[in-house]
């Protein structure tokens, strides 16, 4: 813990574990259980350390929560389309399935945090393989979904 008083009101702070925090972006849904926050007696919240949000996202992207997700290949200059990474055929424009991944991430201040990530999948009409959105978009949308989860828990950035 970085300080024992709130930066906003100088009240005493304690570590609080949030039961369930959720966020979504572009079809990617993130559920976080047991997220540690510093909570003051006046209800102000902040992260346990200044670099906590970035480290949390980095650990999540590298975790087993996204294992088994094969990113599609994006082609096109003006009209971008998703293509199967296995056979190269264009994928359906609508996600037909989803993959649920879970991970337990080590965090400062105690027990690991349980995270579930739901990723939409597109099916190839030619070879029947499934793929997610391209890797860059997938990571961006996971980061934004986590940021939306933090925002829903009323934890200000920084």
């Amino acid at each position: 813990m970085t300080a024992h008083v709130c930066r906003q009101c100088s009240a005493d702070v304690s570590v609080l574990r949030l039961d369930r925090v959720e966020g979504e972006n572009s079809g990617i849904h993130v559920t976080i259980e047991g997220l540690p926050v510093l909570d003051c007696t006046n209800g102000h919240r902040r992260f346990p350390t200044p670099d906590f949000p970035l480290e949390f996202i980095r650990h999540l992207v590298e975790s087993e929560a996204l294992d088994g997700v094969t990113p599609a290949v994006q082609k096109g200059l003006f009209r971008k389309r998703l293509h199967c990474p296995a056979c190269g055929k264009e994928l359906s424009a609508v996600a037909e399935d989803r993959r649920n991944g879970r991970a337990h991430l080590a965090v400062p201040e105690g027990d690991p945090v349980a995270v579930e990530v739901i990723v939409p999948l597109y099916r190839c009409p030619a070879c029947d393989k499934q793929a997610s959105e391209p890797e860059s978009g997938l990571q961006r949308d996971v980061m934004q979904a986590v940021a939306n989860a933090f925002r829903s828990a009323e934890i200000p950035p920084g």
Side-chain angles (χ1 to χ4, degrees):
M1 189 161 43
T2 57
H4 299 285
V5 295
C6 177
R7 285 190 228 160
Q8 290 178 281
C9 66
S10 298
D12 289 337
V13 297
S14 60
V15 176
L16 171 70
R17 288 282 185 148
L18 301 179
D19 289 335
R20 186 177 179 98
V21 177
E22 298 182 58
E24 188 168 340
N25 191 66
S26 297
I28 294 177
H29 188 88
V30 175
T31 304
I32 305 167
E33 296 174 355
L35 182 70
V37 295
L38 298 179
D39 186 52
C40 84
T41 54
N42 293 321
H44 302 125
R45 291 179 175 171
R46 66 182 166 130
F47 295 107
T49 61
D51 61 341
F52 181 86
L54 291 175
E55 288 297 314
F56 184 85
I57 291 169
R58 184 177 63 77
H59 289 305
L60 176 58
V61 169
E62 295 171 353
S63 76
E64 64 271 12
L66 296 176
D67 284 354
V69 174
T70 305
V73 176
Q74 189 170 346
K75 294 182 181 178
L77 186 58
F78 296 110
R79 290 185 55 188
K80 299 191 184 300
R81 297 187 181 169
L82 301 180
H83 291 264
C84 179
C87 71
K89 296 289 183 187
E90 187 174 337
L91 298 175
S92 170
V94 178
E96 298 175 6
D97 202 0
R98 63 185 194 168
R99 184 192 176 284
N100 296 19
R102 290 192 62 82
H104 287 82
L105 305 179
V107 295
E109 304 301 332
D111 297 333
V113 173
V115 182
E116 180 182 32
V117 181
I118 299 173
V119 178
L121 298 175
Y122 304 89
R123 186 169 302 281
C124 177
C127 68
D128 209 38
K129 300 263 189 220
Q130 292 181 324
S132 70
E133 64 180 302
E135 189 170 357
S136 62
L138 179 65
Q139 289 182 1
R140 179 192 66 236
D141 289 340
V142 167
M143 288 190 305
Q144 189 59 51
V146 170
N148 291 342
F150 292 160
R151 196 172 294 115
S152 76
E154 299 179 354
I155 308 169

